Amino acid sequence: MLISVDAPLTVRWQRFQQRQHHQLNSQTNGTGPSKPEATGDVTSLEAFVRHSDEHLYDAHSGHLPVMSRATVRLLNTSSDLAHLYATLGKVDLLNEDRLRPGWDTYFMALASLAAQRSNCMKRRVGCVLVREKRVISTGYNGTPRGLRNCGEGGCGRCNDGEGSGHGLATCLCIHAEENALLEAGRERIREGAILYCDTCPCLTCSIKITQVGISEVVYSQGYSMDGETAAVFREAGVKLRQFVPVCCYPLVPFSLSRLFVANSYLSLACEWAHTLGTDDILLNKQELCPLSGRPFPTRETIITCALIILSNAFSSTVLFPY
């Protein structure tokens, strides 16, 4: 397993200054090496940045090509080695679960991938229908077959910028859940079928999901009518739960899934704001999500996770420094 270690530029600059200062003191006392660290004429932050760029991007000796192939990328912001070792101990790098996503993560990543095929102007939604851990069908939202794509003006409602949940009766786009159900057909949807969707189904889709016999719905991001949808599922006996990536879960195996996880954290922040109000978020109160029943991450954790994931969206794997 290839592991790369990196740190923010300013952190590396501070460490470099400390190391140079320590070497200078050691030479003065006669206890250090006779030659200082070979870093060229690095006496300013600008020179350090140039040296860092050469170290990473040099066409012949740059380390970036190797780092980009790493299975695990570690962002080291620890203040000292003791803190770093303690953090690594909590991370448990040798745990196989870190390198192989669970079923929820796997199927939700597929739903996120399906959403990339959407041609809807309003939002991209992807859906995966699963039975016995096997994919039955996938779907994404957009205009029906034979009609002009929504992104090309095919749906007037979406292109007019109607608010979330408004004007749905005039919308020509088929929702991701509807496409997945149509693709699967009633005969393939049996007891135990699970629907994974990166956005909570709307009220109309929830009725159709209930009618075809879906046993469980797993979603990531909230929607404007989650309460109504939850009420339908509750009465019909359909289990509804929100997939929330664990904040300290460090490995996200696909670039698309990293974007999906970042969207999930940002969606959590918006949902929390709607539920509790801005002041409660700023105070970081550990309230419970009304839908999932799980504690909300703190505002700082949500934003940090989202930014780290997005900034590393095209690398192999990201390891958070928690």
Side-chain angles (χ1 to χ4, degrees):
M1 180 172 64
L2 180 62
I3 302 175
S4 72
V5 182
D6 197 4
L9 180 64
T10 54
V11 174
R12 289 189 282 118
W13 167 242
Q14 292 172 0
R15 291 172 179 166
F16 175 79
Q17 289 180 307
Q18 293 172 359
R19 190 161 57 249
Q20 292 292 83
H21 181 70
H22 176 72
Q23 290 180 351
L24 181 61
N25 289 339
S26 298
Q27 291 174 18
T28 302
N29 299 331
T31 59
S34 56
K35 293 183 178 181
E37 183 179 352
T39 55
D41 186 20
V42 180
T43 57
S44 65
L45 177 58
E46 182 179 358
F48 180 80
V49 171
R50 286 197 301 268
H51 181 73
S52 176
D53 287 346
E54 292 175 2
H55 178 77
L56 291 173
Y57 306 117
D58 183 82
H60 303 289
S61 60
H63 287 65
L64 188 63
V66 178
M67 294 176 65
S68 64
R69 295 186 179 94
T71 304
V72 177
R73 294 189 60 183
L74 190 141
L75 184 64
N76 176 22
T77 57
S78 300
S79 56
D80 51 48
L81 287 177
H83 184 270
L84 174 61
Y85 294 151
T87 303
L88 289 175
K90 296 177 182 178
V91 166
D92 189 13
L93 286 174
L94 299 181
N95 189 335
E96 292 184 0
D97 293 339
R98 305 289 190 184
L99 300 177
R100 187 183 185 193
W103 288 113
D104 279 354
T105 303
Y106 173 65
F107 290 128
M108 199 62 78
L110 293 180
S112 178
L113 178 61
Q116 304 308 305
R117 285 285 304 164
S118 170
N119 61 64
C120 181
M121 286 291 292
K122 290 285 292 182
R123 69 175 69 218
R124 288 183 168 185
V125 181
C127 178
V128 174
L129 202 55
V130 176
R131 189 182 72 245
E132 297 177 352
K133 295 183 174 60
R134 297 293 184 270
V135 175
I136 302 175
S137 65
T138 63
Y140 52 86
N141 60 325
T143 47
R145 182 181 305 174
L147 273 66
R148 187 170 46 169
N149 285 340
C150 179
E152 299 171 347
C155 176
R157 179 257 178 184
C158 292
N159 283 268
D160 287 342
E162 290 282 353
S164 177
H166 296 284
L168 293 179
T170 62
C171 183
L172 298 182
C173 290
I174 300 179
H175 290 191
E177 302 93 319
E178 294 173 318
N179 269 325
L181 295 177
L182 289 170
E183 178 67 23
R186 181 65 181 87
E187 66 280 358
R188 297 174 63 190
I189 302 174
R190 303 171 187 170
E191 185 179 356
I194 303 176
L195 185 145
Y196 286 86
C197 192
D198 60 359
T199 303
C200 187
C202 69
L203 181 59
T204 303
C205 284
S206 68
I207 297 172
K208 299 173 181 178
I209 291 169
T210 300
Q211 178 64 17
V212 299
I214 299 294
S215 300
E216 182 178 4
V217 174
V218 184
Y219 73 98
S220 171
Q221 305 178 46
Y223 190 54
S224 61
M225 52 185 69
D226 294 0
E228 293 90 336
T229 294
V232 170
F233 286 151
R234 189 182 308 112
E235 184 174 350
V238 179
K239 183 179 179 180
L240 174 67
R241 61 185 174 91
Q242 184 176 19
F243 170 70
V244 182
V246 180
C247 294
C248 60
Y249 187 76
L251 298 184
V252 185
F254 311 111
S255 60
L256 284 176
S257 68
R258 272 192 291 280
L259 293 175
F260 138 72
V261 175
N263 285 334
S264 299
Y265 279 118
L266 293 176
S267 176
L268 263 179
C270 294
E271 180 180 344
W272 198 11
H274 177 73
T275 305
L276 302 178
T278 305
D279 291 338
D280 286 327
I281 292 180
L282 295 177
L283 292 174
N284 289 327
K285 293 184 179 178
Q286 289 298 299
E287 302 287 350
L288 298 180
C289 171
L291 295 178
S292 67
R294 301 175 63 176
F296 281 102
T298 62
R299 176 175 176 269
E300 286 77 8
T301 299
I302 293 173
I303 295 175
T304 301
C305 287
L307 291 178
I308 291 177
I309 297 169
L310 288 172
S311 66
N312 292 275
F314 300 101
S315 62
S316 300
T317 306
V318 179
L319 182 60
F320 300 146
Y322 301 129

